[in-house]
Amino acid sequence: MTLTFNGRAFAALLAVTALLALIALYGAPYPFLRGFVGDVVAVGWVYLVYRTFIRASVGVLAVAALLTGYAVEFGQYLARLYGWQIEQPVLRVVLGSVPDWWDVVAYTVGFAVVLVLALANEHRARNAALRDARARASLRARR
């Protein structure tokens, strides 16, 4: 694991940030969208934050994103248990204030989606590199 900057992951992070902002702003009439889908996308957002600045395997970063979601949910549980209140309204919306098992399910679904998308992207990149290598070899053979 090393620190880095991944421009493609950063571009995807900006797009997912915009998507989460849209869900937060316009998703109130749709509880499933704002609650469940928003939490699924949030795990992808955390993955992209990690991917932007840390060079590590997809699995390691996906597990770190999943554990981050679980830690937020555990923090909500502890806050409820001990009567703690988050006074800052934006932070309360971002972190949430009510522990819910459906959030844990959503984080797990988000983890699975991250794995599927990231591994499919790696497979696509590997196939593209293989096609390029074959094309170069074919060009060299023609000369």
Side-chain angles (χ1 to χ4, degrees):
M1 237 186 305
T2 58
L3 289 178
T4 187
F5 180 77
N6 183 329
R8 291 184 67 186
F10 184 69
L13 175 64
L14 292 177
V16 172
T17 300
L19 175 64
L20 282 172
L22 289 172
I23 290 172
L25 289 173
Y26 301 110
Y30 312 102
F32 180 75
L33 175 67
R34 189 167 186 180
F36 192 82
V37 175
D39 287 344
V40 169
V41 175
V43 172
W45 184 86
V46 172
Y47 169 81
L48 288 169
V49 168
Y50 293 155
R51 178 53 112 205
T52 298
F53 299 108
I54 301 170
R55 179 175 291 148
S57 71
V58 168
V60 168
L61 295 177
V63 167
L66 176 65
L67 292 178
T68 300
Y70 288 170
V72 167
E73 204 62 29
F74 184 65
Q76 290 174 2
Y77 169 74
L78 291 177
R80 168 76 47 104
L81 184 67
Y82 293 111
W84 301 333
Q85 295 286 328
I86 298 175
E87 298 300 324
Q88 216 287 335
V90 173
L91 192 58
R92 194 173 332 123
V93 168
V94 170
L95 293 179
S97 58
V98 179
D100 184 9
W101 281 107
W102 283 109
D103 291 348
V104 173
V105 172
Y107 298 147
T108 306
V109 169
F111 167 74
V113 169
V114 163
L115 283 180
V116 167
L117 292 177
L119 293 174
N121 188 42
E122 279 187 356
H123 182 73
R124 182 198 52 78
R126 200 172 317 125
N127 282 345
L130 185 59
R131 275 194 309 272
D132 289 347
R134 285 181 183 153
R136 276 185 257 130
S138 175
L139 287 174
R140 278 194 299 264
R142 291 181 189 167
R143 292 182 193 173

